[in-house]
Amino acid sequence: MSEITAITPQVKDKERCNVYVDGRFYCGLKLETAVRYRLRVGQQVEPSFLDEIQLENEKAQALDKALTHLSASMKTERAMRDFLRKKGYVDAVCDYVLEKLREYRFVDDALYCTQYVESASKNKGARLIALELRQKGASDEAIGAALEGIGEEGDAARRALEKYMRGKQPTREAFSKAYRHLLSKGFDHDTAKDALASLREDEEP
């Protein structure tokens, strides 16, 4: 058995406390957790009991941090796991948080990809969108399913081309750079060529 020798408020977070066992710092806990388990100075405890309390506290805290992180924008599962790991949470805590987030539908890679494609496809091609989604941690399966609904890319390529050419003279050099720009936006060669041909036709007297 060990003894809780001190429970002190944390300086930077008044809602948390530091628990000292046998004269040494053992863990940080929410005051709510310490009260719920009726922890007190002089109490005899098994270290394993405090380990369980600490793990429970980390899960709750990690879930709070994950929800705050998600409030800015939706994230993929891998992005959320990377975020939690950078905060120092162990895999068991990450697994718990992600399970809860999936349960609440706060993380849903299929939905994330669908929404991303709907927005990005207005001025980007499928190849670039797929690359960006992979970088964000989405699975190939979720990406493929979302891209099935992208449809014809001609209109998006034309919009991207018109935006690029705005204020530029329709010279051979400008069109050559515009073609490379469309490729960099993820459109394939044929789509880029068709967009350029359509623009040239519109500009002919």
Side-chain angles (χ1 to χ4, degrees):
M1 278 287 196
S2 298
E3 180 181 340
I4 296 177
T5 49
I7 300 176
T8 61
Q10 290 189 356
V11 175
K12 294 183 178 180
D13 188 346
K14 299 301 182 182
E15 294 184 356
R16 292 176 60 79
C17 63
N18 293 326
V19 179
Y20 293 80
V21 174
D22 295 334
R24 294 184 298 177
F25 172 77
Y26 190 83
C27 65
L29 294 171
K30 285 186 176 180
L31 284 172
E32 176 188 349
T33 303
V35 171
R36 186 191 318 146
Y37 285 91
R38 300 179 180 179
L39 300 182
R40 64 188 186 280
V41 175
Q43 181 179 353
Q44 298 294 311
V45 294
E46 290 285 355
S48 59
F49 173 67
L50 287 176
D51 289 344
E52 291 175 6
I53 294 177
Q54 184 186 37
L55 183 57
E56 176 188 324
N57 181 71
E58 283 196 331
K59 287 178 179 179
Q61 185 187 53
L63 183 56
D64 286 344
K65 288 185 180 296
L67 291 172
T68 299
H69 188 54
L70 279 169
S71 65
S73 63
M74 198 173 181
K75 307 288 190 305
T76 62
E77 284 195 24
R78 195 185 80 183
M80 285 305 306
R81 184 177 290 277
D82 290 345
F83 168 78
L84 292 168
R85 282 174 172 167
K86 287 178 181 178
K87 292 294 182 182
Y89 294 110
V90 297
D91 285 340
V93 175
C94 296
D95 291 342
Y96 168 83
V97 171
L98 285 169
E99 181 181 350
K100 287 296 182 183
L101 294 178
R102 285 192 293 268
E103 181 181 329
Y104 301 148
R105 294 294 301 276
F106 289 151
V107 292
D108 183 330
D109 280 10
L111 178 60
Y112 178 91
C113 289
T114 297
Q115 293 180 345
Y116 191 93
V117 168
E118 287 177 356
S119 175
S121 62
K122 295 175 182 177
N123 57 13
K124 294 179 182 179
R127 291 188 299 179
L128 179 58
I129 294 173
L131 175 61
E132 291 176 343
L133 284 171
R134 289 191 188 96
Q135 291 173 339
K136 293 177 182 296
S139 67
D140 287 341
E141 181 180 1
I143 294 171
L147 287 175
E148 286 181 1
I150 201 171
E152 174 59 44
E153 293 188 283
D155 290 341
R158 179 61 186 262
R159 283 193 295 270
L161 176 61
E162 290 175 347
K163 181 178 179 181
Y164 177 82
M165 290 296 295
R166 198 170 297 150
K168 295 181 175 67
Q169 293 297 316
T171 63
R172 181 184 296 273
E173 181 181 2
F175 282 132
S176 177
K177 290 182 178 179
Y179 175 73
R180 292 196 294 272
H181 174 72
L182 289 177
L183 295 183
S184 73
K185 298 290 283 185
F187 298 104
D188 60 37
H189 293 276
D190 291 338
T191 301
K193 288 178 180 178
D194 289 344
L196 283 166
S198 175
L199 183 62
R200 284 194 179 108
E201 289 176 3
D202 290 347
E203 293 183 346
E204 287 179 358

